[in-house]
Amino acid sequence: MKLERSIAAFARARRVIAGGVNSPVRALGAVGLSPVFMKNGAGAMLHDLDGHEYIDYVMSWGALLFGHAYAPIGRAIANAATRGTSYGTPTEAESELAELIVSMMPSLERVRFVSSGTEATMSAVRLARGFTGRPKIVKFAGCYHGHGDSFLIAAGSGALTHGVPDSPGVTDGTAADTIVLPFNDAAAVEAAFDAHPRQIAAVIVEPYPGNMGLVLPRAGYLKRLRELCSSADALLIFDEVMTGFRIGRGGAQAREGIVPDLTTLGKVVGGGLPIGVFGGRADVMSHLSPDGPVYQAGTLSGNPLAVAAGLAALGAIASDATLYDRLEERTGQLAHGLHDVMERHGVAHQCARAGSMFGLFFTPDPVYDLEGARKSDRTLFAKYYAAMLDRGTYLAPSPFEANFLSAAHTQRDIERTIAAADASLAAVLTASGAPA
């Protein structure tokens, strides 16, 4: 595949943008390629500068539940723009979106809008510390909660891909207040509470981590986190920036029957525009300024364009009773098809899925945590990724990222993807001298 225009665009970007990209994973460094510059998207498809078309399974990292250029969201943004792009004042639309979120995710009694998922998680942790009067938080190796200092301690996602999970610039003091434990290990959380009595403000977790690949919780694990936090008077924070409204109407918490104290949201909530949300128990949220002492603010928080897009996205969800059933069925078809392809070629693998999310590890062993994810064959993944790209399939460009379907993906798209995987593996194995 020729990508001359993308290569030229990357060279231009590197002259004025740090690293040539505005988020590290876009550089495609994990798969040894130059980034593909996109020109436009429509439905399930992306089109690059060189005229190639791809079935997109990144979907703006999960934000596009209805696919690219979804007309109702586009109209809502255009209409809002005619009234102004930012006011710096309250609007009724913010309350309307907040009411819709609360109605669909009942653990959120009060919310606050911000401009990104990172800002939401940073604010939720500060609020948890302010509410409890305690300094420490527990996070899990491989879970990614944005690029806040407290979270770049054994982080996942792009930090893991680039081998700098403990980023320079994070102070020793910040690291000392962050307790990092293995995901899916309830005994480790029990031990942490025993070792730090009355010191842990909150446990923050991606209920379905999607930033070390897709890793699912063991049965009973999230329930045990809830029990431990309740018994220690610590807050349980579900980071549902990725899973919120992505795997179901009420997110992972509804799917698992767990009620967290605080929840962070983003991605789908903004309909493809920058937004973040944190919210939860009314008594906790009342500690936020201007009602309480915990300060948080943002010039573009509740931006009218993002709020309009969010209302259109969540309105479309609320009006479609079978949306998530269709998404889950189609994702299951793809996951089963990929599994059959891998089996047919004798490739050891694990394929996890939840709702419209799926992930692939090239390892014979089940993956329950970061150490298990690291056993995935990265060299094979890089070759497979390049072969799939050549065949018009745009996957998440790292073995440590989840992939996403949208309502725009068709049965034909699934069939084409499975066929591309079959041909890609055959080509990769033949090139390596293994039987295809």
mmCIF file of all heavy atoms in Angstrom, residues 50-69:
data_model
loop_
_atom_site.group_PDB
_atom_site.id
_atom_site.type_symbol
_atom_site.label_atom_id
_atom_site.label_comp_id
_atom_site.label_asym_id
_atom_site.label_seq_id
_atom_site.Cartn_x
_atom_site.Cartn_y
_atom_site.Cartn_z
ATOM 1 N N ASP A 50 -4.251 9.378 0.818
ATOM 2 C CA ASP A 50 -3.835 8.715 -0.417
ATOM 3 C C ASP A 50 -4.978 8.018 -1.139
ATOM 4 O O ASP A 50 -4.754 7.321 -2.126
ATOM 5 C CB ASP A 50 -2.719 7.712 -0.111
ATOM 6 C CG ASP A 50 -1.434 8.402 0.308
ATOM 7 O OD1 ASP A 50 -0.685 8.844 -0.585
ATOM 8 O OD2 ASP A 50 -1.190 8.528 1.516
ATOM 9 N N GLY A 51 -6.198 8.204 -0.637
ATOM 10 C CA GLY A 51 -7.360 7.647 -1.321
ATOM 11 C C GLY A 51 -7.748 6.246 -0.922
ATOM 12 O O GLY A 51 -8.617 5.647 -1.553
ATOM 13 N N HIS A 52 -7.139 5.685 0.127
ATOM 14 C CA HIS A 52 -7.497 4.340 0.578
ATOM 15 C C HIS A 52 -8.694 4.396 1.532
ATOM 16 O O HIS A 52 -8.836 5.337 2.312
ATOM 17 C CB HIS A 52 -6.313 3.686 1.297
ATOM 18 C CG HIS A 52 -5.077 3.615 0.464
ATOM 19 N ND1 HIS A 52 -3.929 4.274 0.788
ATOM 20 C CD2 HIS A 52 -4.819 2.963 -0.701
ATOM 21 C CE1 HIS A 52 -3.003 4.040 -0.121
ATOM 22 N NE2 HIS A 52 -3.526 3.246 -1.039
ATOM 23 N N GLU A 53 -9.492 3.359 1.479
ATOM 24 C CA GLU A 53 -10.662 3.240 2.353
ATOM 25 C C GLU A 53 -10.422 2.130 3.378
ATOM 26 O O GLU A 53 -9.859 1.085 3.053
ATOM 27 C CB GLU A 53 -11.909 2.920 1.531
ATOM 28 C CG GLU A 53 -13.179 2.811 2.367
ATOM 29 C CD GLU A 53 -14.404 2.478 1.523
ATOM 30 O OE1 GLU A 53 -14.495 1.301 1.063
ATOM 31 O OE2 GLU A 53 -15.242 3.365 1.324
ATOM 32 N N TYR A 54 -10.875 2.360 4.596
ATOM 33 C CA TYR A 54 -10.691 1.389 5.678
ATOM 34 C C TYR A 54 -12.000 1.187 6.433
ATOM 35 O O TYR A 54 -12.734 2.154 6.689
ATOM 36 C CB TYR A 54 -9.650 1.866 6.695
ATOM 37 C CG TYR A 54 -8.324 2.292 6.113
ATOM 38 C CD1 TYR A 54 -8.120 3.610 5.692
ATOM 39 C CD2 TYR A 54 -7.273 1.388 5.997
ATOM 40 C CE1 TYR A 54 -6.907 4.010 5.169
ATOM 41 C CE2 TYR A 54 -6.056 1.789 5.473
ATOM 42 C CZ TYR A 54 -5.876 3.098 5.055
ATOM 43 O OH TYR A 54 -4.672 3.495 4.530
ATOM 44 N N ILE A 55 -12.256 -0.066 6.821
ATOM 45 C CA ILE A 55 -13.290 -0.323 7.833
ATOM 46 C C ILE A 55 -12.672 0.049 9.175
ATOM 47 O O ILE A 55 -11.644 -0.502 9.563
ATOM 48 C CB ILE A 55 -13.738 -1.792 7.824
ATOM 49 C CG1 ILE A 55 -14.251 -2.199 6.445
ATOM 50 C CG2 ILE A 55 -14.828 -2.011 8.886
ATOM 51 C CD1 ILE A 55 -14.551 -3.690 6.318
ATOM 52 N N ASP A 56 -13.283 0.977 9.863
ATOM 53 C CA ASP A 56 -12.687 1.557 11.063
ATOM 54 C C ASP A 56 -13.189 0.851 12.316
ATOM 55 O O ASP A 56 -14.405 0.798 12.570
ATOM 56 C CB ASP A 56 -13.033 3.047 11.131
ATOM 57 C CG ASP A 56 -12.441 3.732 12.347
ATOM 58 O OD1 ASP A 56 -11.475 3.197 12.929
ATOM 59 O OD2 ASP A 56 -12.948 4.804 12.717
ATOM 60 N N TYR A 57 -12.234 0.316 13.114
ATOM 61 C CA TYR A 57 -12.571 -0.273 14.407
ATOM 62 C C TYR A 57 -11.942 0.511 15.564
ATOM 63 O O TYR A 57 -11.920 0.032 16.692
ATOM 64 C CB TYR A 57 -12.149 -1.753 14.458
ATOM 65 C CG TYR A 57 -12.984 -2.606 13.546
ATOM 66 C CD1 TYR A 57 -12.481 -3.050 12.319
ATOM 67 C CD2 TYR A 57 -14.286 -2.946 13.881
ATOM 68 C CE1 TYR A 57 -13.265 -3.820 11.463
ATOM 69 C CE2 TYR A 57 -15.071 -3.717 13.032
ATOM 70 C CZ TYR A 57 -14.549 -4.145 11.825
ATOM 71 O OH TYR A 57 -15.334 -4.904 10.982
ATOM 72 N N VAL A 58 -11.459 1.697 15.281
ATOM 73 C CA VAL A 58 -10.994 2.597 16.341
ATOM 74 C C VAL A 58 -12.136 3.516 16.768
ATOM 75 O O VAL A 58 -12.329 3.767 17.955
ATOM 76 C CB VAL A 58 -9.769 3.404 15.883
ATOM 77 C CG1 VAL A 58 -9.351 4.422 16.949
ATOM 78 C CG2 VAL A 58 -8.598 2.464 15.582
ATOM 79 N N MET A 59 -12.877 4.010 15.812
ATOM 80 C CA MET A 59 -14.063 4.823 16.069
ATOM 81 C C MET A 59 -13.765 5.947 17.070
ATOM 82 O O MET A 59 -14.458 6.134 18.067
ATOM 83 C CB MET A 59 -15.213 3.958 16.598
ATOM 84 C CG MET A 59 -15.903 3.153 15.517
ATOM 85 S SD MET A 59 -16.880 4.222 14.431
ATOM 86 C CE MET A 59 -16.380 3.645 12.820
ATOM 87 N N SER A 60 -12.674 6.696 16.754
ATOM 88 C CA SER A 60 -12.232 7.784 17.628
ATOM 89 C C SER A 60 -12.074 7.277 19.059
ATOM 90 O O SER A 60 -12.482 7.914 20.020
ATOM 91 C CB SER A 60 -13.194 8.973 17.575
ATOM 92 O OG SER A 60 -12.624 10.100 18.213
ATOM 93 N N TRP A 61 -11.456 6.085 19.172
ATOM 94 C CA TRP A 61 -11.190 5.451 20.463
ATOM 95 C C TRP A 61 -12.465 5.236 21.274
ATOM 96 O O TRP A 61 -12.497 5.403 22.495
ATOM 97 C CB TRP A 61 -10.130 6.238 21.241
ATOM 98 C CG TRP A 61 -8.878 6.314 20.428
ATOM 99 C CD1 TRP A 61 -8.448 7.371 19.667
ATOM 100 C CD2 TRP A 61 -7.925 5.264 20.198
ATOM 101 N NE1 TRP A 61 -7.296 7.049 18.994
ATOM 102 C CE2 TRP A 61 -6.944 5.763 19.305
ATOM 103 C CE3 TRP A 61 -7.813 3.955 20.668
ATOM 104 C CZ2 TRP A 61 -5.865 4.999 18.869
ATOM 105 C CZ3 TRP A 61 -6.734 3.192 20.236
ATOM 106 C CH2 TRP A 61 -5.779 3.720 19.351
ATOM 107 N N GLY A 62 -13.524 4.849 20.561
ATOM 108 C CA GLY A 62 -14.769 4.458 21.221
ATOM 109 C C GLY A 62 -15.823 5.532 21.284
ATOM 110 O O GLY A 62 -16.963 5.269 21.689
ATOM 111 N N ALA A 63 -15.490 6.753 20.886
ATOM 112 C CA ALA A 63 -16.428 7.863 21.047
ATOM 113 C C ALA A 63 -17.606 7.791 20.080
ATOM 114 O O ALA A 63 -18.690 8.300 20.382
ATOM 115 C CB ALA A 63 -15.697 9.193 20.866
ATOM 116 N N LEU A 64 -17.406 7.172 18.909
ATOM 117 C CA LEU A 64 -18.400 7.242 17.841
ATOM 118 C C LEU A 64 -19.298 6.008 17.843
ATOM 119 O O LEU A 64 -19.146 5.088 17.050
ATOM 120 C CB LEU A 64 -17.698 7.398 16.490
ATOM 121 C CG LEU A 64 -16.746 8.598 16.387
ATOM 122 C CD1 LEU A 64 -16.120 8.664 15.002
ATOM 123 C CD2 LEU A 64 -17.466 9.901 16.728
ATOM 124 N N LEU A 65 -20.263 5.994 18.720
ATOM 125 C CA LEU A 65 -21.161 4.849 18.850
ATOM 126 C C LEU A 65 -22.003 4.661 17.589
ATOM 127 O O LEU A 65 -22.394 3.537 17.256
ATOM 128 C CB LEU A 65 -22.074 5.025 20.056
ATOM 129 C CG LEU A 65 -22.945 3.836 20.452
ATOM 130 C CD1 LEU A 65 -22.082 2.668 20.930
ATOM 131 C CD2 LEU A 65 -23.953 4.222 21.522
ATOM 132 N N PHE A 66 -22.269 5.757 16.863
ATOM 133 C CA PHE A 66 -23.115 5.686 15.676
ATOM 134 C C PHE A 66 -22.325 5.832 14.388
ATOM 135 O O PHE A 66 -22.905 5.958 13.310
ATOM 136 C CB PHE A 66 -24.205 6.770 15.757
ATOM 137 C CG PHE A 66 -25.149 6.567 16.908
ATOM 138 C CD1 PHE A 66 -24.953 7.237 18.104
ATOM 139 C CD2 PHE A 66 -26.201 5.684 16.806
ATOM 140 C CE1 PHE A 66 -25.809 7.037 19.175
ATOM 141 C CE2 PHE A 66 -27.057 5.466 17.866
ATOM 142 C CZ PHE A 66 -26.865 6.153 19.059
ATOM 143 N N GLY A 67 -20.996 5.805 14.488
ATOM 144 C CA GLY A 67 -20.162 5.906 13.309
ATOM 145 C C GLY A 67 -19.804 7.343 12.975
ATOM 146 O O GLY A 67 -20.196 8.292 13.663
ATOM 147 N N HIS A 68 -19.046 7.499 11.897
ATOM 148 C CA HIS A 68 -18.585 8.815 11.467
ATOM 149 C C HIS A 68 -19.708 9.599 10.790
ATOM 150 O O HIS A 68 -20.532 9.030 10.055
ATOM 151 C CB HIS A 68 -17.428 8.671 10.477
ATOM 152 C CG HIS A 68 -16.208 8.053 11.068
ATOM 153 N ND1 HIS A 68 -15.297 8.761 11.818
ATOM 154 C CD2 HIS A 68 -15.748 6.772 11.027
ATOM 155 C CE1 HIS A 68 -14.318 7.960 12.203
ATOM 156 N NE2 HIS A 68 -14.572 6.741 11.744
ATOM 157 N N ALA A 69 -19.694 10.913 11.020
ATOM 158 C CA ALA A 69 -20.609 11.843 10.337
ATOM 159 C C ALA A 69 -22.073 11.426 10.498
ATOM 160 O O ALA A 69 -22.864 11.502 9.545
ATOM 161 C CB ALA A 69 -20.238 11.959 8.854
#
